[in-house]
Amino acid sequence: RKEVEQDPGPFNVPEGATVAFNCTYSNSASQSFFWYRQDCRKEPKLLMSVYSSGNEDGRFTAQLNRASQYISLLIRDSKLSDSATYLCVVNSYSGGGADGLTFGKGTHLIIQP
Amino acid sequence: GAVVSQHPSRVICKSGTSVKIECRSLDFQATTMFWYRQFPKQSLMLMATSNEGSKATYEQGVEKDKFLINHASLTLSTLTVTSAHPEDSSFYICSARDRVAGANGYTFGSGTRLTVV
């Protein structure tokens, strides 16, 4: 079972629509959760952290369900510039002290004019 | 905000040669640097974790003698791909954690696209 699973898409969405992505993670001991955005041939950039109570940043809303081990991202009023790959990222601190991030493969979003 | 400078951004090398990739944290101390590799349409895979002044910790399946990591100072970590082969062609990205910034403090370099011919 993969550690972090996402639907790769692509999601083709008209401009202005609302789109939602989900992600599941396998390690119940995971402690930190993030959504990153990666543009083609670029490094990932932090979009937002995901908190247990859910959090919102402008048009973006993130939710975490620890019981079901899934994370969601909602984008409202989508813009052409939202076209990118969205990476679900989990941090599971290991006993060895290594705390690198575990990335999903990403969900590819295409906003169409 | 925190910045990690990664060089080179793109390199093409002949099979059998070695390539060094540098990552520098510009305005913070990176006690830990993470090295990732990303193949086309795949997720970023953690290769190794390096801590300043000590040996790197490699993930399972990553050859430590092939991917040499040096983290000699709090602001510089290097990854050397030795005797590179075409299958090593990939996108290599470093990430440093700014511990002052807390759990959200992971900053990525801009990546190095390695092509081995």
Side-chain angles (χ1 to χ4, degrees):
Chain A
R1 184 181 174 186
K2 296 176 184 173
E3 292 191 50
V4 179
E5 290 204 60
Q6 296 180 249
D7 181 345
F11 283 48
N12 290 282
V13 175
E15 189 176 8
T18 296
V19 60
F21 309 135
N22 288 329
C23 154
T24 58
Y25 60 95
S26 61
N27 187 345
S28 59
S30 298
Q31 298 182 26
S32 302
F33 309 89
F34 311 92
W35 283 102
Y36 275 73
R37 170 191 170 132
Q38 186 175 24
D39 292 290
C40 188
R41 294 176 173 265
K42 300 286 187 182
E43 76 277 18
K45 293 189 177 176
L46 179 65
L47 179 66
M48 59 195 304
S49 301
V50 187
Y51 302 117
S52 297
S53 55
N55 49 298
E56 188 174 308
D57 183 1
R59 297 182 293 109
F60 300 86
T61 301
Q63 297 267 343
L64 168 64
N65 185 319
R66 285 188 183 271
S68 302
Q69 294 181 203
Y70 86 78
I71 306 154
S72 65
L73 176 68
L74 182 78
I75 305 175
R76 290 181 299 277
D77 187 24
S78 53
K79 313 285 185 194
L80 294 176
S81 57
D82 293 334
S83 297
T85 297
Y86 290 83
L87 306 173
C88 178
V89 184
V90 172
N91 190 328
S92 304
Y93 298 96
S94 70
D99 56 353
L101 303 174
T102 301
F103 288 80
K105 284 189 178 182
T107 297
H108 189 39
L109 174 64
I110 301 170
I111 304 299
Q112 296 172 329
Chain B
V3 175
V4 172
S5 175
Q6 182 171 348
H7 295 281
S9 59
R10 187 184 300 268
V11 59
I12 300 173
C13 72
K14 290 184 178 179
S15 187
T17 60
S18 295
V19 174
K20 180 185 281 189
I21 302 169
E22 286 190 356
C23 274
R24 293 180 184 273
S25 57
L26 297 187
D27 48 9
F28 67 100
Q29 293 184 335
T31 52
T32 304
M33 190 80 78
F34 304 95
W35 287 94
Y36 294 86
R37 179 169 54 182
Q38 186 178 34
F39 292 106
K41 299 184 187 275
Q42 299 296 313
S43 59
L44 276 77
M45 296 299 295
L46 180 65
M47 298 175 66
T49 303
S50 74
N51 293 295
E52 183 266 336
S54 63
K55 289 184 179 179
T57 302
Y58 289 82
E59 295 299 302
Q60 194 172 11
V62 178
E63 299 174 57
K64 63 179 181 180
D65 295 328
K66 182 171 180 62
F67 299 98
L68 302 179
I69 291 173
N70 184 285
H71 194 159
S73 78
L74 287 171
T75 59
L76 174 65
S77 179
T78 62
L79 167 68
T80 301
V81 183
T82 62
S83 186
H85 291 285
E87 58 265 30
D88 298 323
S89 299
S90 187
F91 190 50
Y92 292 85
I93 308 179
C94 63
S95 172
R97 187 175 178 192
D98 180 358
R99 292 194 176 271
V100 173
N104 295 346
Y106 291 89
T107 302
F108 285 83
S110 55
T112 297
R113 192 160 299 280
L114 171 64
T115 303
V116 185
V117 297

